[in-house]
Amino acid sequence: MILPERSRFVIYALGIFVCYFLYGIVQEKLTRGRYGEEVQADGSVGERFTYALALVWVQCLCNYVFAKGLLTVRPQKEDTTHVGSYVACSLTYLLAMVSTNMAMRWVPYPTAVVGKSAKPIPVMILGVLIGRKSYSWTRYACVLTIVLGVILFMYKEGKVSNLPAETTMLGEVLLFLSLSMDGLTGAVQERIRAASAPSGQQMMKAMNFWSTLMLGVAMVFTGEAKEFLYFTLRHPEAWTHLSLISVCGVLGQFFIFLMVASFGPLACSVVTTTRKFFTVLCSVLLFGNVLIARQWLGAVLVFAALFVDMLYGKQKPPAAPAKKPPAEGRVSEEMKKLTS
């Protein structure tokens, strides 16, 4: 039985929300927690997990194995996508993640939140310029409204940084690079969908295969692979958190690629952008935190835009009227018919 389009969209979106909500909790335990009882140079007790490349590498490897297993159990039609498209998509995807992680060292958290909340905009712009997509004006308005609503909801006022202007500007440049890479990733995915229409599992397998290779090379050259191995030998309990993160990441990315394959990267970027908004909103409703007027306005904008987009966002832009061929062209076509 094939589910209706809207039902599939809701299932995929809920899968992304739930998996990455749990993912964030476990990731914080891994990256913020302490391992062991040794006293560090700064006087703190326990060693921290600081191996960002290794963390992403483990996830990409698990994602690849999961997708490969699915395709082995349930074989699908051959994926005819050009290898270069997957390599380019994997590279831009990894550059976006690395740029974001590096930017967090030089810009305050609210700036990073506001910057990444605008992710659907470059995805849409580069999808039109490179991915040859077209959207209705309703879809443009809804995406911009969602981005504005998330910014209003998430932004925190007050003094947010004591960093020099030079380092803050470097962080903002990295954020801009990250958004550009997000847009390029979406544009390449649009062209892949238009050219060969691979399934979500096929996209997941190919992109994670190349991501695993690229990250593996980077870990070897930077020396992080050896340091990560020594850390896990000293603290084997870290594998528990890594395993939980991998499970949540595998299922979350599975739903993401199903979303991209079925509805496109723009719909996926809107879902992943609003995920953070809904996570905070759930914490407000469950734990009774107080929202200020600006945050309520942002919540109303997001819900209103999502509702309008669900009803009208899939309307196609009006097609240009077909031009009649010139008289000479019509004569030549008639001659071809007569001589054939």
Side-chain angles (χ1 to χ4, degrees), residues 60-97:
C60 289
L61 178 61
C62 293
N63 292 339
Y64 169 75
V65 171
F66 178 77
K68 178 71 173 176
L70 286 178
L71 291 172
T72 302
V73 173
R74 297 186 63 181
Q76 299 179 2
K77 63 179 178 65
E78 184 183 358
D79 185 3
T80 58
T81 306
H82 192 276
V83 172
S85 298
Y86 279 134
V87 173
C89 202
S90 302
L91 180 61
T92 55
Y93 169 72
L94 290 176
L95 287 175
M97 284 200 302

PDB file of all heavy atoms in Angstrom, residues 60-97:
ATOM      1  N   CYS A  60      29.096   8.567   9.475  1.00  0.00           N
ATOM      2  CA  CYS A  60      29.025   8.315   8.028  1.00  0.00           C
ATOM      3  C   CYS A  60      29.224   6.832   7.717  1.00  0.00           C
ATOM      4  O   CYS A  60      28.545   6.273   6.841  1.00  0.00           O
ATOM      5  CB  CYS A  60      30.067   9.150   7.292  1.00  0.00           C
ATOM      6  SG  CYS A  60      29.697  10.924   7.255  1.00  0.00           S
ATOM      7  N   LEU A  61      30.162   6.192   8.420  1.00  0.00           N
ATOM      8  CA  LEU A  61      30.408   4.768   8.205  1.00  0.00           C
ATOM      9  C   LEU A  61      29.167   3.947   8.562  1.00  0.00           C
ATOM     10  O   LEU A  61      28.760   3.049   7.797  1.00  0.00           O
ATOM     11  CB  LEU A  61      31.598   4.310   9.042  1.00  0.00           C
ATOM     12  CG  LEU A  61      31.959   2.816   8.958  1.00  0.00           C
ATOM     13  CD1 LEU A  61      32.333   2.439   7.526  1.00  0.00           C
ATOM     14  CD2 LEU A  61      33.082   2.472   9.929  1.00  0.00           C
ATOM     15  N   CYS A  62      28.539   4.252   9.692  1.00  0.00           N
ATOM     16  CA  CYS A  62      27.331   3.527  10.097  1.00  0.00           C
ATOM     17  C   CYS A  62      26.181   3.783   9.124  1.00  0.00           C
ATOM     18  O   CYS A  62      25.412   2.861   8.811  1.00  0.00           O
ATOM     19  CB  CYS A  62      26.926   3.926  11.515  1.00  0.00           C
ATOM     20  SG  CYS A  62      28.083   3.392  12.792  1.00  0.00           S
ATOM     21  N   ASN A  63      26.071   5.020   8.654  1.00  0.00           N
ATOM     22  CA  ASN A  63      25.028   5.336   7.675  1.00  0.00           C
ATOM     23  C   ASN A  63      25.215   4.530   6.394  1.00  0.00           C
ATOM     24  O   ASN A  63      24.249   4.032   5.805  1.00  0.00           O
ATOM     25  CB  ASN A  63      25.051   6.834   7.340  1.00  0.00           C
ATOM     26  CG  ASN A  63      24.633   7.697   8.513  1.00  0.00           C
ATOM     27  OD1 ASN A  63      23.975   7.229   9.445  1.00  0.00           O
ATOM     28  ND2 ASN A  63      25.030   8.954   8.484  1.00  0.00           N
ATOM     29  N   TYR A  64      26.478   4.424   5.942  1.00  0.00           N
ATOM     30  CA  TYR A  64      26.767   3.664   4.721  1.00  0.00           C
ATOM     31  C   TYR A  64      26.414   2.186   4.913  1.00  0.00           C
ATOM     32  O   TYR A  64      25.774   1.587   4.039  1.00  0.00           O
ATOM     33  CB  TYR A  64      28.246   3.807   4.360  1.00  0.00           C
ATOM     34  CG  TYR A  64      28.685   2.845   3.279  1.00  0.00           C
ATOM     35  CD1 TYR A  64      28.327   3.051   1.941  1.00  0.00           C
ATOM     36  CD2 TYR A  64      29.422   1.708   3.596  1.00  0.00           C
ATOM     37  CE1 TYR A  64      28.695   2.150   0.953  1.00  0.00           C
ATOM     38  CE2 TYR A  64      29.809   0.807   2.613  1.00  0.00           C
ATOM     39  CZ  TYR A  64      29.438   1.039   1.295  1.00  0.00           C
ATOM     40  OH  TYR A  64      29.798   0.139   0.316  1.00  0.00           O
ATOM     41  N   VAL A  65      26.825   1.611   6.038  1.00  0.00           N
ATOM     42  CA  VAL A  65      26.545   0.183   6.284  1.00  0.00           C
ATOM     43  C   VAL A  65      25.038  -0.059   6.338  1.00  0.00           C
ATOM     44  O   VAL A  65      24.524  -1.049   5.793  1.00  0.00           O
ATOM     45  CB  VAL A  65      27.223  -0.267   7.599  1.00  0.00           C
ATOM     46  CG1 VAL A  65      26.776  -1.669   7.979  1.00  0.00           C
ATOM     47  CG2 VAL A  65      28.742  -0.207   7.466  1.00  0.00           C
ATOM     48  N   PHE A  66      24.302   0.854   6.976  1.00  0.00           N
ATOM     49  CA  PHE A  66      22.850   0.714   7.083  1.00  0.00           C
ATOM     50  C   PHE A  66      22.191   0.758   5.701  1.00  0.00           C
ATOM     51  O   PHE A  66      21.363  -0.096   5.365  1.00  0.00           O
ATOM     52  CB  PHE A  66      22.295   1.832   7.964  1.00  0.00           C
ATOM     53  CG  PHE A  66      20.798   1.830   8.110  1.00  0.00           C
ATOM     54  CD1 PHE A  66      20.174   0.924   8.947  1.00  0.00           C
ATOM     55  CD2 PHE A  66      20.010   2.746   7.420  1.00  0.00           C
ATOM     56  CE1 PHE A  66      18.783   0.917   9.090  1.00  0.00           C
ATOM     57  CE2 PHE A  66      18.637   2.754   7.556  1.00  0.00           C
ATOM     58  CZ  PHE A  66      18.015   1.831   8.389  1.00  0.00           C
ATOM     59  N   ALA A  67      22.570   1.763   4.900  1.00  0.00           N
ATOM     60  CA  ALA A  67      21.984   1.890   3.562  1.00  0.00           C
ATOM     61  C   ALA A  67      22.368   0.701   2.682  1.00  0.00           C
ATOM     62  O   ALA A  67      21.539   0.186   1.914  1.00  0.00           O
ATOM     63  CB  ALA A  67      22.436   3.195   2.911  1.00  0.00           C
ATOM     64  N   LYS A  68      23.620   0.255   2.783  1.00  0.00           N
ATOM     65  CA  LYS A  68      24.074  -0.906   2.012  1.00  0.00           C
ATOM     66  C   LYS A  68      23.272  -2.147   2.396  1.00  0.00           C
ATOM     67  O   LYS A  68      22.877  -2.944   1.527  1.00  0.00           O
ATOM     68  CB  LYS A  68      25.565  -1.137   2.284  1.00  0.00           C
ATOM     69  CG  LYS A  68      26.161  -2.341   1.577  1.00  0.00           C
ATOM     70  CD  LYS A  68      26.299  -2.125   0.093  1.00  0.00           C
ATOM     71  CE  LYS A  68      27.054  -3.269  -0.557  1.00  0.00           C
ATOM     72  NZ  LYS A  68      27.120  -3.126  -2.024  1.00  0.00           N
ATOM     73  N   GLY A  69      23.003  -2.307   3.692  1.00  0.00           N
ATOM     74  CA  GLY A  69      22.208  -3.440   4.149  1.00  0.00           C
ATOM     75  C   GLY A  69      20.790  -3.396   3.612  1.00  0.00           C
ATOM     76  O   GLY A  69      20.242  -4.428   3.182  1.00  0.00           O
ATOM     77  N   LEU A  70      20.176  -2.207   3.627  1.00  0.00           N
ATOM     78  CA  LEU A  70      18.818  -2.073   3.096  1.00  0.00           C
ATOM     79  C   LEU A  70      18.759  -2.443   1.621  1.00  0.00           C
ATOM     80  O   LEU A  70      17.842  -3.149   1.175  1.00  0.00           O
ATOM     81  CB  LEU A  70      18.318  -0.643   3.283  1.00  0.00           C
ATOM     82  CG  LEU A  70      17.921  -0.204   4.693  1.00  0.00           C
ATOM     83  CD1 LEU A  70      17.491   1.257   4.682  1.00  0.00           C
ATOM     84  CD2 LEU A  70      16.795  -1.078   5.236  1.00  0.00           C
ATOM     85  N   LEU A  71      19.744  -1.972   0.860  1.00  0.00           N
ATOM     86  CA  LEU A  71      19.749  -2.254  -0.579  1.00  0.00           C
ATOM     87  C   LEU A  71      20.088  -3.708  -0.880  1.00  0.00           C
ATOM     88  O   LEU A  71      19.728  -4.234  -1.932  1.00  0.00           O
ATOM     89  CB  LEU A  71      20.745  -1.329  -1.281  1.00  0.00           C
ATOM     90  CG  LEU A  71      20.344   0.148  -1.315  1.00  0.00           C
ATOM     91  CD1 LEU A  71      21.488   1.000  -1.855  1.00  0.00           C
ATOM     92  CD2 LEU A  71      19.095   0.346  -2.170  1.00  0.00           C
ATOM     93  N   THR A  72      20.789  -4.375   0.037  1.00  0.00           N
ATOM     94  CA  THR A  72      21.076  -5.805  -0.141  1.00  0.00           C
ATOM     95  C   THR A  72      19.832  -6.634   0.123  1.00  0.00           C
ATOM     96  O   THR A  72      19.537  -7.593  -0.602  1.00  0.00           O
ATOM     97  CB  THR A  72      22.212  -6.238   0.810  1.00  0.00           C
ATOM     98  OG1 THR A  72      23.386  -5.453   0.549  1.00  0.00           O
ATOM     99  CG2 THR A  72      22.541  -7.714   0.627  1.00  0.00           C
ATOM    100  N   VAL A  73      19.092  -6.266   1.169  1.00  0.00           N
ATOM    101  CA  VAL A  73      17.861  -6.999   1.507  1.00  0.00           C
ATOM    102  C   VAL A  73      16.775  -6.761   0.473  1.00  0.00           C
ATOM    103  O   VAL A  73      16.071  -7.689   0.061  1.00  0.00           O
ATOM    104  CB  VAL A  73      17.374  -6.591   2.915  1.00  0.00           C
ATOM    105  CG1 VAL A  73      16.004  -7.218   3.213  1.00  0.00           C
ATOM    106  CG2 VAL A  73      18.383  -7.013   3.968  1.00  0.00           C
ATOM    107  N   ARG A  74      16.637  -5.481   0.055  1.00  0.00           N
ATOM    108  CA  ARG A  74      15.604  -5.134  -0.929  1.00  0.00           C
ATOM    109  C   ARG A  74      16.267  -4.416  -2.106  1.00  0.00           C
ATOM    110  O   ARG A  74      16.325  -3.190  -2.147  1.00  0.00           O
ATOM    111  CB  ARG A  74      14.536  -4.248  -0.292  1.00  0.00           C
ATOM    112  CG  ARG A  74      13.776  -4.923   0.840  1.00  0.00           C
ATOM    113  CD  ARG A  74      12.640  -4.047   1.338  1.00  0.00           C
ATOM    114  NE  ARG A  74      11.649  -3.811   0.285  1.00  0.00           N
ATOM    115  CZ  ARG A  74      10.564  -3.057   0.453  1.00  0.00           C
ATOM    116  NH1 ARG A  74      10.353  -2.450   1.616  1.00  0.00           N
ATOM    117  NH2 ARG A  74       9.710  -2.884  -0.531  1.00  0.00           N
ATOM    118  N   PRO A  75      16.792  -5.179  -3.061  1.00  0.00           N
ATOM    119  CA  PRO A  75      17.470  -4.557  -4.208  1.00  0.00           C
ATOM    120  C   PRO A  75      16.525  -3.646  -4.989  1.00  0.00           C
ATOM    121  O   PRO A  75      15.323  -3.897  -5.082  1.00  0.00           O
ATOM    122  CB  PRO A  75      17.903  -5.768  -5.057  1.00  0.00           C
ATOM    123  CG  PRO A  75      17.889  -6.921  -4.119  1.00  0.00           C
ATOM    124  CD  PRO A  75      16.804  -6.644  -3.135  1.00  0.00           C
ATOM    125  N   GLN A  76      17.107  -2.577  -5.552  1.00  0.00           N
ATOM    126  CA  GLN A  76      16.333  -1.619  -6.336  1.00  0.00           C
ATOM    127  C   GLN A  76      16.956  -1.491  -7.720  1.00  0.00           C
ATOM    128  O   GLN A  76      18.017  -2.050  -7.996  1.00  0.00           O
ATOM    129  CB  GLN A  76      16.298  -0.264  -5.622  1.00  0.00           C
ATOM    130  CG  GLN A  76      15.653  -0.320  -4.245  1.00  0.00           C
ATOM    131  CD  GLN A  76      15.657   1.015  -3.543  1.00  0.00           C
ATOM    132  OE1 GLN A  76      16.112   2.017  -4.084  1.00  0.00           O
ATOM    133  NE2 GLN A  76      15.154   1.039  -2.323  1.00  0.00           N
ATOM    134  N   LYS A  77      16.281  -0.726  -8.572  1.00  0.00           N
ATOM    135  CA  LYS A  77      16.816  -0.497  -9.907  1.00  0.00           C
ATOM    136  C   LYS A  77      18.193   0.147  -9.808  1.00  0.00           C
ATOM    137  O   LYS A  77      18.511   0.821  -8.828  1.00  0.00           O
ATOM    138  CB  LYS A  77      15.878   0.421 -10.697  1.00  0.00           C
ATOM    139  CG  LYS A  77      15.723   1.820 -10.126  1.00  0.00           C
ATOM    140  CD  LYS A  77      14.799   2.653 -10.985  1.00  0.00           C
ATOM    141  CE  LYS A  77      14.605   4.044 -10.405  1.00  0.00           C
ATOM    142  NZ  LYS A  77      15.828   4.853 -10.379  1.00  0.00           N
ATOM    143  N   GLU A  78      18.999  -0.067 -10.820  1.00  0.00           N
ATOM    144  CA  GLU A  78      20.369   0.446 -10.798  1.00  0.00           C
ATOM    145  C   GLU A  78      20.387   1.970 -10.719  1.00  0.00           C
ATOM    146  O   GLU A  78      19.613   2.655 -11.395  1.00  0.00           O
ATOM    147  CB  GLU A  78      21.101   0.003 -12.054  1.00  0.00           C
ATOM    148  CG  GLU A  78      22.578   0.418 -12.084  1.00  0.00           C
ATOM    149  CD  GLU A  78      23.253   0.015 -13.378  1.00  0.00           C
ATOM    150  OE1 GLU A  78      22.589  -0.609 -14.229  1.00  0.00           O
ATOM    151  OE2 GLU A  78      24.448   0.324 -13.532  1.00  0.00           O
ATOM    152  N   ASP A  79      21.258   2.463  -9.860  1.00  0.00           N
ATOM    153  CA  ASP A  79      21.428   3.911  -9.727  1.00  0.00           C
ATOM    154  C   ASP A  79      22.361   4.396 -10.847  1.00  0.00           C
ATOM    155  O   ASP A  79      23.536   4.055 -10.886  1.00  0.00           O
ATOM    156  CB  ASP A  79      22.023   4.241  -8.353  1.00  0.00           C
ATOM    157  CG  ASP A  79      22.106   5.743  -8.098  1.00  0.00           C
ATOM    158  OD1 ASP A  79      21.653   6.521  -8.958  1.00  0.00           O
ATOM    159  OD2 ASP A  79      22.617   6.123  -7.030  1.00  0.00           O
ATOM    160  N   THR A  80      21.822   5.204 -11.754  1.00  0.00           N
ATOM    161  CA  THR A  80      22.602   5.669 -12.911  1.00  0.00           C
ATOM    162  C   THR A  80      23.228   7.043 -12.684  1.00  0.00           C
ATOM    163  O   THR A  80      23.750   7.638 -13.626  1.00  0.00           O
ATOM    164  CB  THR A  80      21.702   5.728 -14.153  1.00  0.00           C
ATOM    165  OG1 THR A  80      20.581   6.600 -13.892  1.00  0.00           O
ATOM    166  CG2 THR A  80      21.175   4.342 -14.505  1.00  0.00           C
ATOM    167  N   THR A  81      23.184   7.540 -11.461  1.00  0.00           N
ATOM    168  CA  THR A  81      23.763   8.858 -11.162  1.00  0.00           C
ATOM    169  C   THR A  81      25.267   8.848 -11.392  1.00  0.00           C
ATOM    170  O   THR A  81      25.961   7.896 -11.016  1.00  0.00           O
ATOM    171  CB  THR A  81      23.479   9.246  -9.705  1.00  0.00           C
ATOM    172  OG1 THR A  81      22.070   9.157  -9.463  1.00  0.00           O
ATOM    173  CG2 THR A  81      23.954  10.658  -9.419  1.00  0.00           C
ATOM    174  N   HIS A  82      25.783   9.919 -12.011  1.00  0.00           N
ATOM    175  CA  HIS A  82      27.230  10.023 -12.263  1.00  0.00           C
ATOM    176  C   HIS A  82      27.977  10.123 -10.936  1.00  0.00           C
ATOM    177  O   HIS A  82      27.551  10.825 -10.005  1.00  0.00           O
ATOM    178  CB  HIS A  82      27.514  11.260 -13.115  1.00  0.00           C
ATOM    179  CG  HIS A  82      28.910  11.293 -13.662  1.00  0.00           C
ATOM    180  ND1 HIS A  82      29.989  11.767 -12.943  1.00  0.00           N
ATOM    181  CD2 HIS A  82      29.409  10.886 -14.858  1.00  0.00           C
ATOM    182  CE1 HIS A  82      31.087  11.672 -13.666  1.00  0.00           C
ATOM    183  NE2 HIS A  82      30.759  11.135 -14.835  1.00  0.00           N
ATOM    184  N   VAL A  83      29.090   9.412 -10.832  1.00  0.00           N
ATOM    185  CA  VAL A  83      29.869   9.385  -9.599  1.00  0.00           C
ATOM    186  C   VAL A  83      30.303  10.793  -9.191  1.00  0.00           C
ATOM    187  O   VAL A  83      30.297  11.150  -8.001  1.00  0.00           O
ATOM    188  CB  VAL A  83      31.111   8.477  -9.774  1.00  0.00           C
ATOM    189  CG1 VAL A  83      32.034   8.594  -8.567  1.00  0.00           C
ATOM    190  CG2 VAL A  83      30.675   7.035  -9.970  1.00  0.00           C
ATOM    191  N   GLY A  84      30.667  11.622 -10.181  1.00  0.00           N
ATOM    192  CA  GLY A  84      31.116  12.975  -9.872  1.00  0.00           C
ATOM    193  C   GLY A  84      30.069  13.794  -9.149  1.00  0.00           C
ATOM    194  O   GLY A  84      30.409  14.647  -8.302  1.00  0.00           O
ATOM    195  N   SER A  85      28.788  13.551  -9.429  1.00  0.00           N
ATOM    196  CA  SER A  85      27.720  14.281  -8.745  1.00  0.00           C
ATOM    197  C   SER A  85      27.691  13.933  -7.257  1.00  0.00           C
ATOM    198  O   SER A  85      27.542  14.808  -6.407  1.00  0.00           O
ATOM    199  CB  SER A  85      26.363  13.948  -9.380  1.00  0.00           C
ATOM    200  OG  SER A  85      26.323  14.357 -10.726  1.00  0.00           O
ATOM    201  N   TYR A  86      27.859  12.645  -6.951  1.00  0.00           N
ATOM    202  CA  TYR A  86      27.868  12.230  -5.542  1.00  0.00           C
ATOM    203  C   TYR A  86      29.122  12.739  -4.825  1.00  0.00           C
ATOM    204  O   TYR A  86      29.058  13.124  -3.652  1.00  0.00           O
ATOM    205  CB  TYR A  86      27.797  10.709  -5.439  1.00  0.00           C
ATOM    206  CG  TYR A  86      26.399  10.154  -5.577  1.00  0.00           C
ATOM    207  CD1 TYR A  86      26.142   9.062  -6.409  1.00  0.00           C
ATOM    208  CD2 TYR A  86      25.330  10.707  -4.880  1.00  0.00           C
ATOM    209  CE1 TYR A  86      24.862   8.546  -6.540  1.00  0.00           C
ATOM    210  CE2 TYR A  86      24.055  10.203  -5.002  1.00  0.00           C
ATOM    211  CZ  TYR A  86      23.814   9.122  -5.829  1.00  0.00           C
ATOM    212  OH  TYR A  86      22.552   8.610  -5.948  1.00  0.00           O
ATOM    213  N   VAL A  87      30.255  12.737  -5.515  1.00  0.00           N
ATOM    214  CA  VAL A  87      31.488  13.246  -4.902  1.00  0.00           C
ATOM    215  C   VAL A  87      31.330  14.728  -4.575  1.00  0.00           C
ATOM    216  O   VAL A  87      31.679  15.183  -3.463  1.00  0.00           O
ATOM    217  CB  VAL A  87      32.689  13.026  -5.834  1.00  0.00           C
ATOM    218  CG1 VAL A  87      33.927  13.714  -5.282  1.00  0.00           C
ATOM    219  CG2 VAL A  87      32.964  11.539  -6.014  1.00  0.00           C
ATOM    220  N   ALA A  88      30.806  15.510  -5.527  1.00  0.00           N
ATOM    221  CA  ALA A  88      30.608  16.942  -5.308  1.00  0.00           C
ATOM    222  C   ALA A  88      29.627  17.191  -4.178  1.00  0.00           C
ATOM    223  O   ALA A  88      29.845  18.057  -3.314  1.00  0.00           O
ATOM    224  CB  ALA A  88      30.108  17.604  -6.594  1.00  0.00           C
ATOM    225  N   CYS A  89      28.542  16.414  -4.139  1.00  0.00           N
ATOM    226  CA  CYS A  89      27.530  16.581  -3.100  1.00  0.00           C
ATOM    227  C   CYS A  89      28.102  16.238  -1.720  1.00  0.00           C
ATOM    228  O   CYS A  89      27.844  16.935  -0.736  1.00  0.00           O
ATOM    229  CB  CYS A  89      26.333  15.682  -3.418  1.00  0.00           C
ATOM    230  SG  CYS A  89      24.801  16.196  -2.641  1.00  0.00           S
ATOM    231  N   SER A  90      28.886  15.176  -1.641  1.00  0.00           N
ATOM    232  CA  SER A  90      29.501  14.773  -0.365  1.00  0.00           C
ATOM    233  C   SER A  90      30.492  15.827   0.114  1.00  0.00           C
ATOM    234  O   SER A  90      30.551  16.142   1.308  1.00  0.00           O
ATOM    235  CB  SER A  90      30.210  13.425  -0.525  1.00  0.00           C
ATOM    236  OG  SER A  90      29.319  12.431  -0.964  1.00  0.00           O
ATOM    237  N   LEU A  91      31.273  16.379  -0.834  1.00  0.00           N
ATOM    238  CA  LEU A  91      32.270  17.380  -0.468  1.00  0.00           C
ATOM    239  C   LEU A  91      31.611  18.641   0.076  1.00  0.00           C
ATOM    240  O   LEU A  91      32.023  19.161   1.127  1.00  0.00           O
ATOM    241  CB  LEU A  91      33.135  17.711  -1.684  1.00  0.00           C
ATOM    242  CG  LEU A  91      34.238  18.751  -1.467  1.00  0.00           C
ATOM    243  CD1 LEU A  91      35.226  18.276  -0.404  1.00  0.00           C
ATOM    244  CD2 LEU A  91      34.962  19.048  -2.778  1.00  0.00           C
ATOM    245  N   THR A  92      30.579  19.146  -0.607  1.00  0.00           N
ATOM    246  CA  THR A  92      29.910  20.359  -0.127  1.00  0.00           C
ATOM    247  C   THR A  92      29.204  20.111   1.205  1.00  0.00           C
ATOM    248  O   THR A  92      29.171  20.980   2.075  1.00  0.00           O
ATOM    249  CB  THR A  92      28.894  20.863  -1.163  1.00  0.00           C
ATOM    250  OG1 THR A  92      27.974  19.815  -1.499  1.00  0.00           O
ATOM    251  CG2 THR A  92      29.598  21.318  -2.436  1.00  0.00           C
ATOM    252  N   TYR A  93      28.647  18.919   1.372  1.00  0.00           N
ATOM    253  CA  TYR A  93      27.996  18.549   2.632  1.00  0.00           C
ATOM    254  C   TYR A  93      28.982  18.565   3.793  1.00  0.00           C
ATOM    255  O   TYR A  93      28.713  19.131   4.871  1.00  0.00           O
ATOM    256  CB  TYR A  93      27.358  17.166   2.468  1.00  0.00           C
ATOM    257  CG  TYR A  93      26.881  16.519   3.739  1.00  0.00           C
ATOM    258  CD1 TYR A  93      25.755  16.988   4.413  1.00  0.00           C
ATOM    259  CD2 TYR A  93      27.552  15.413   4.259  1.00  0.00           C
ATOM    260  CE1 TYR A  93      25.324  16.381   5.576  1.00  0.00           C
ATOM    261  CE2 TYR A  93      27.119  14.797   5.427  1.00  0.00           C
ATOM    262  CZ  TYR A  93      26.006  15.279   6.076  1.00  0.00           C
ATOM    263  OH  TYR A  93      25.581  14.678   7.238  1.00  0.00           O
ATOM    264  N   LEU A  94      30.158  17.966   3.582  1.00  0.00           N
ATOM    265  CA  LEU A  94      31.174  17.939   4.638  1.00  0.00           C
ATOM    266  C   LEU A  94      31.729  19.336   4.910  1.00  0.00           C
ATOM    267  O   LEU A  94      31.953  19.706   6.072  1.00  0.00           O
ATOM    268  CB  LEU A  94      32.310  16.991   4.239  1.00  0.00           C
ATOM    269  CG  LEU A  94      31.973  15.505   4.226  1.00  0.00           C
ATOM    270  CD1 LEU A  94      33.159  14.699   3.727  1.00  0.00           C
ATOM    271  CD2 LEU A  94      31.560  15.033   5.611  1.00  0.00           C
ATOM    272  N   LEU A  95      31.971  20.129   3.852  1.00  0.00           N
ATOM    273  CA  LEU A  95      32.468  21.489   4.054  1.00  0.00           C
ATOM    274  C   LEU A  95      31.483  22.335   4.852  1.00  0.00           C
ATOM    275  O   LEU A  95      31.883  23.169   5.673  1.00  0.00           O
ATOM    276  CB  LEU A  95      32.749  22.145   2.699  1.00  0.00           C
ATOM    277  CG  LEU A  95      33.988  21.651   1.953  1.00  0.00           C
ATOM    278  CD1 LEU A  95      34.065  22.296   0.568  1.00  0.00           C
ATOM    279  CD2 LEU A  95      35.261  21.962   2.748  1.00  0.00           C
ATOM    280  N   ALA A  96      30.178  22.129   4.625  1.00  0.00           N
ATOM    281  CA  ALA A  96      29.167  22.863   5.386  1.00  0.00           C
ATOM    282  C   ALA A  96      29.254  22.517   6.870  1.00  0.00           C
ATOM    283  O   ALA A  96      29.210  23.403   7.730  1.00  0.00           O
ATOM    284  CB  ALA A  96      27.769  22.556   4.847  1.00  0.00           C
ATOM    285  N   MET A  97      29.395  21.225   7.175  1.00  0.00           N
ATOM    286  CA  MET A  97      29.478  20.807   8.581  1.00  0.00           C
ATOM    287  C   MET A  97      30.748  21.318   9.247  1.00  0.00           C
ATOM    288  O   MET A  97      30.713  21.830  10.368  1.00  0.00           O
ATOM    289  CB  MET A  97      29.423  19.278   8.675  1.00  0.00           C
ATOM    290  CG  MET A  97      28.043  18.701   8.486  1.00  0.00           C
ATOM    291  SD  MET A  97      27.907  17.027   9.172  1.00  0.00           S
ATOM    292  CE  MET A  97      29.183  16.174   8.281  1.00  0.00           C
TER     293      MET A  97
END
